[in-house]
Amino acid sequence: MSIQKKEDATYELIISTAKNLFFKEGKFNATTQEIADAAGVNRTLINYYFRSRDALFDLIFEEGKKEDERRQEMIVLSDLPIREKLEMFIDYFLSQAKMYPYREVYMLTQIIKDDCCIYDKKEHVKRMSEKFYVELEQEMEKGTIQKMKPIQFMLNFISMLIFPVIMRPFLQNNFELDDKEYDKLLAGRREVILKTIFRNREESNLDSL
Amino acid sequence: MSIQKKEDATYELIISTAKNLFFKEGKFNATTQEIADAAGVNRTLINYYFRSRDALFDLIFEEGKKEDERRQEMIVLSDLPIREKLEMFIDYFLSQAKMYPYREVYMLTQIIKDDCCIYDKKEHVKRMSEKFYVELEQEMEKGTIQKMKPIQFMLNFISMLIFPVIMRPFLQNNFELDDKEYDKLLAGRREVILKTIFRNREESNLDSL
DNA sequence: TTTATGTTTGACAAAATTGTCAAATGCAAA
DNA sequence: TTTGCATTTGACAATTTTGTCAAACATAAA
């Protein structure tokens, strides 16, 4: 079934080319011909290595899901204080977003298209998520963060982080900003988000961001 | 050029059917045949009324842009205190989102596809936006809201409002919630967002949301 | 060199999709 | 009723896109 005698450089080339088209250029509906051209290979090699166009799309989507899981595990499995967990997550996400600005939108459109996306979290991740929620509630008791359902807190957090990235084309036009200005805006997100979410720190002025 | 002798019920029917497919069902790549079938009309009527498939898509996109502009004007042109402006916007958006859950994603994918989207704001809206930003800064001086660049504040606000709506398929799976639970979550957003953004009010407990 | 196996190619067929057009239909005014 | 015009339809052509297949190619082992 699987073809892997030689180094399957072509196989990997096709995948990474497709990923670039999807995640970097936003060509969510690229044809096999377009992908092949971009990779500089014959179109039918896509059928040879992946059976069908759909199979290639699915493969990339599944890889994306695994990356999502890794992210989630990163935030709940690490043994750091809440704030540092979140900081780590922000930094990681923003750096990834620089590389693959359309990644999240692609994942979303795929989910919408198939109308199915079962993330089967591993048991230990579920357990750690519960623990993470308890930690959050402790912070709320301390007054470090505003009291609310932990899931609402998480929604706030990822919304403020991810939305400005995935809606960039929309927002940049709407706010009438050029590329450089928007990059600066994104760079400022880290501090803004932390400032918005945590309350006990000194009220430093964020005007310069 | 334009065809409008009789009541153009068909014309409107096609548009609203297409909007439903796009905004309600997330069928962003519906074919002319699918749209015609959903509307119960002959496929070629789409060509008759809109020249081409693209023209129909563009028309709906442009209508969406106008709606976006209306929203923006609503928030800056009304003569209400900041907090009430934002409350009004939240309520309006959430009710619209219930009707057209995929609207924002559709708009985004169209922008990405065409890689162009010039929102030409009217002059008086621009002026009022500046005024709105000044009002925000006054609130920050008062301490009602956290100090940051007004545009970062607006990013925070619309992120926390819109993201949970547009990423619903993704988040619902990820958090493992059923439809009812997620609806409840969304219903709680209003108070959570206000709580997160405004600081001076009594620290009421949001556990029940 | 020959052989065997995995890889690549171009030609072809099949399917899907869009747009055009002439003819048919329906309806209101003359 | 007949005429004229907008609307609707089905047939057709053109294009795009995908997938298959046999043949060609490359390379390492026999």
Side-chain angles (χ1 to χ4, degrees), chain B residues 88-100:
Chain B
M88 192 175 68
F89 189 81
I90 292 177
D91 293 335
Y92 180 69
F93 178 83
L94 287 182
S95 70
Q96 287 288 103
K98 226 171 248 181
M99 187 170 14
Y100 291 138

Side-chain angles (χ1 to χ4, degrees), chain B:
Chain B
M1 189 66 96
S2 62
I3 299 138
Q4 262 160 357
K5 192 173 184 183
K6 273 182 159 185
E7 271 66 43
D8 36 14
T10 320
Y11 178 89
E12 296 298 340
L13 173 66
I14 291 173
I15 287 193
S16 75
T17 304
K19 265 172 73 170
N20 282 345
L21 284 178
F22 300 160
F23 297 170
K24 285 191 181 183
E25 301 179 35
K27 308 273 180 203
F28 300 157
N29 296 307
T31 65
T32 51
Q33 190 63 253
E34 286 171 318
I35 298 172
D37 288 348
V41 302
N42 189 288
R43 180 177 62 83
T44 57
L45 283 182
I46 292 175
N47 294 101
Y48 179 70
Y49 282 108
F50 306 95
R51 300 193 163 288
S52 71
R53 176 178 182 270
D54 272 350
L56 171 61
F57 276 57
D58 285 348
L59 194 70
I60 291 176
F61 177 70
E62 290 301 323
E63 246 188 49
K65 279 206 330 195
K66 284 199 195 105
E67 165 68 13
D68 284 338
E69 280 162 22
R70 267 196 299 277
R71 281 186 191 171
Q72 188 147 8
E73 290 174 21
M74 186 177 84
I75 207 173
V76 298
L77 295 185
S78 77
D79 195 22
L80 292 168
I82 290 268
R83 189 184 170 107
E84 273 147 65
K85 276 184 193 160
L86 297 181
E87 284 174 350
M88 192 175 68
F89 189 81
I90 292 177
D91 293 335
Y92 180 69
F93 178 83
L94 287 182
S95 70
Q96 287 288 103
K98 226 171 248 181
M99 187 170 14
Y100 291 138
Y102 294 117
R103 203 190 83 91
E104 327 302 318
V105 190
Y106 176 81
M107 295 298 291
L108 179 62
T109 57
Q110 285 299 110
I111 293 174
I112 292 174
K113 189 181 295 173
D114 302 352
D115 201 22
C116 87
C117 163
I118 295 98
Y119 279 73
D120 46 353
K121 285 188 210 161
K122 296 154 201 148
E123 263 315 310
H124 73 288
V125 176
K126 279 192 194 177
R127 269 200 311 280
M128 292 305 283
S129 297
E130 313 251 330
K131 183 163 160 287
F132 177 72
Y133 280 177
V134 172
E135 285 172 35
L136 274 181
E137 276 163 337
Q138 285 166 351
E139 293 290 322
M140 291 177 197
E141 275 311 312
K142 278 200 285 176
T144 321
I145 58 183
Q146 186 79 284
K147 275 188 188 167
M148 62 184 75
K149 287 220 163 180
I151 196 170
Q152 294 279 14
F153 175 87
M154 287 311 294
L155 266 187
N156 279 354
F157 176 69
I158 62 176
S159 297
M160 289 190 285
L161 179 60
I162 302 181
F163 186 79
V165 169
I166 69 174
M167 294 297 265
R168 175 168 186 157
F170 182 85
L171 296 167
Q172 193 169 319
N173 266 292
N174 208 286
F175 288 133
E176 297 178 320
L177 303 173
D178 61 35
D179 285 347
K180 209 175 153 191
E181 288 170 321
Y182 202 89
D183 280 335
K184 225 170 123 192
L185 201 62
L186 282 186
R189 292 303 295 167
R190 181 193 152 103
E191 291 311 311
V192 168
I193 293 170
L194 292 171
K195 189 83 179 174
T196 306
I197 279 182
F198 292 98
R199 321 226 116 177
N200 60 343
R201 297 272 174 127
E202 73 295 339
E203 297 283 295
S204 70
N205 193 313
L206 292 180
D207 277 347
S208 57
L209 295 176

Side-chain angles (χ1 to χ4, degrees), chain A residues 28-46:
Chain A
F28 300 157
N29 296 307
T31 65
T32 50
Q33 190 62 251
E34 286 170 317
I35 298 172
D37 288 349
V41 303
N42 188 289
R43 181 178 61 82
T44 58
L45 283 182
I46 292 175

